[in-house]
Amino acid sequence: MKIQVLGPLSAEVNGGSIVPTAGKPRQILSLLALYPGRVMPIPTLMEEIWGTELPQSALTTLQTYILQLRRRLGTAMGPDAPGAAKEVLATRHGGYLLQIPPESVDVHEYERMVTEGRAAFEAGDDETSADRFRQALDLWRGPALVDVRLGPVLGIEVMRLEESRLGTVERRIDADLRLGRHSELIAELAELTARYPQHEGLHSQAMLALYRSGRQASALAVFRKLRIRLIEELGVEPSPQVQRMHQAMLAVDPQLDVAAGLRRTSTFDLYAA
């Protein structure tokens, strides 16, 4: 079985799709896929499907959805595996689980790559770090579970994944900056800062990439726009880290150079207290 949740939901067995067309069974499959090998409690599945207002037939209806999923699974597995669908989508006391290896689901491969990237980053191996982060991000085919209705449980899971994705992008850019790839990052960072106009980490990276590319005025303009936006929209000044980077650029601080830059730290924390 191969399941993908980092984008549109995809689940295949022997090359055949087992993704149901109905919305609620898709939610169940998605939630089970996020935690392969772990029992998903019935109350959690019910909360995802119906929220806090459960119909009287909630348990019976949930069991029907499970049967529908098993039927699709059994069809894909073929007649040579009678009863196997019930072993894969198994019933346990108080819940259900997908008995499949974690590596069958793309999100677990993504998280493994991110863990390797972070370890390499902390060890100062920027080349490996950037490569692992890039491989992790290449697994994404769009917003997580973009074609699945999100209830309260899946909504939190998708928010967590999207935050992780953005954090991985930021760490990958940190590694690329430490490798001296500042000029190559300018266009990407221009798009990211436009998409996340209050994200100080991305703005500090854009400032540094521009500064190291000989565009000091553009780097300072990024700071001015960020400051105006934060004051007008939130009533706050940029963080001390970003303000200190701005002052360092005005003073042409050698710390900003690639060769002098601190190792094992993020761009945002380059001027942490």
Side-chain angles (χ1 to χ4, degrees), residues 239-259:
S239 65
Q241 290 99 313
V242 179
Q243 292 192 53
R244 281 192 285 266
M245 177 177 283
H246 175 247
Q247 291 300 316
M249 288 180 176
L250 291 172
V252 195
D253 188 345
Q255 171 83 2
L256 294 166
D257 295 337
V258 177

Side-chain angles (χ1 to χ4, degrees), residues 8-252:
L9 175 63
S10 171
E12 294 184 350
V13 175
N14 297 328
S17 175
I18 63 165
V19 177
T21 55
K24 289 182 173 59
R26 289 168 75 90
Q27 289 174 265
I28 293 170
L29 178 60
S30 300
L31 199 49
L32 293 172
L34 286 170
Y35 294 95
R38 288 173 54 182
V39 175
M40 186 59 58
I42 287 174
T44 302
L45 291 166
M46 288 182 173
E47 180 186 0
E48 168 59 27
I49 296 171
W50 292 291
T52 57
E53 298 181 6
L54 302 182
Q56 288 187 345
S57 60
L59 181 57
T60 303
T61 305
L62 176 61
Q63 291 169 341
T64 301
Y65 293 150
I66 295 293
L67 288 174
Q68 291 173 2
L69 288 170
R70 281 187 182 142
R71 195 173 299 124
R72 297 184 70 91
L73 187 55
T75 300
M77 296 178 78
D80 296 332
K86 198 169 183 178
E87 295 175 8
V88 175
L89 178 45
T91 303
R92 291 291 183 269
H93 179 70
Y96 300 95
L97 78 155
L98 275 178
Q99 296 206 95
I100 57 175
E103 57 267 24
S104 299
V105 187
D106 62 352
V107 69
H108 295 278
E109 177 68 7
Y110 161 77
E111 289 173 342
R112 182 180 70 80
M113 289 288 185
V114 169
T115 299
E116 291 181 6
R118 286 177 177 165
F121 188 88
E122 292 299 321
D125 185 353
D126 299 326
E127 196 74 55
T128 298
S129 176
D131 181 65
R132 292 295 182 275
F133 286 144
R134 198 167 275 108
Q135 289 181 49
L137 293 166
D138 284 346
L139 293 171
W140 286 74
R141 300 165 296 115
L145 296 172
V146 65
D147 58 348
V148 176
R149 175 188 173 275
L150 302 180
V153 183
L154 276 180
I156 293 172
E157 293 293 336
V158 166
M159 187 184 304
R160 176 183 66 83
L161 288 171
E162 293 293 343
E163 283 294 325
S164 172
R165 182 187 191 182
L166 181 57
T168 301
V169 169
E170 194 177 356
R171 293 289 77 76
R172 193 221 83 223
I173 293 172
D174 278 335
D176 282 336
L177 282 169
R178 297 198 318 195
L179 288 164
R181 297 170 178 166
H182 35 270
S183 296
E184 304 164 34
L185 295 168
I186 290 174
E188 179 184 7
L189 282 165
E191 178 186 349
L192 286 168
T193 51
R195 192 184 308 168
Y196 302 100
Q198 296 176 354
H199 195 297
E200 293 186 79
L202 292 172
H203 280 76
S204 67
Q205 291 176 327
M207 289 167 63
L208 192 60
L210 288 163
Y211 181 89
R212 287 179 176 173
S213 300
R215 297 172 59 180
Q216 184 183 23
S218 296
L220 296 174
V222 170
F223 175 83
R224 285 196 299 273
K225 289 179 182 177
L226 172 65
R227 182 173 183 268
I228 290 170
R229 189 177 296 116
L230 291 177
I231 291 173
E232 289 182 349
E233 296 179 6
L234 300 178
V236 298
E237 290 279 351
S239 65
Q241 290 99 313
V242 179
Q243 292 192 53
R244 281 192 285 266
M245 177 177 283
H246 175 247
Q247 291 300 316
M249 288 180 176
L250 291 172
V252 195

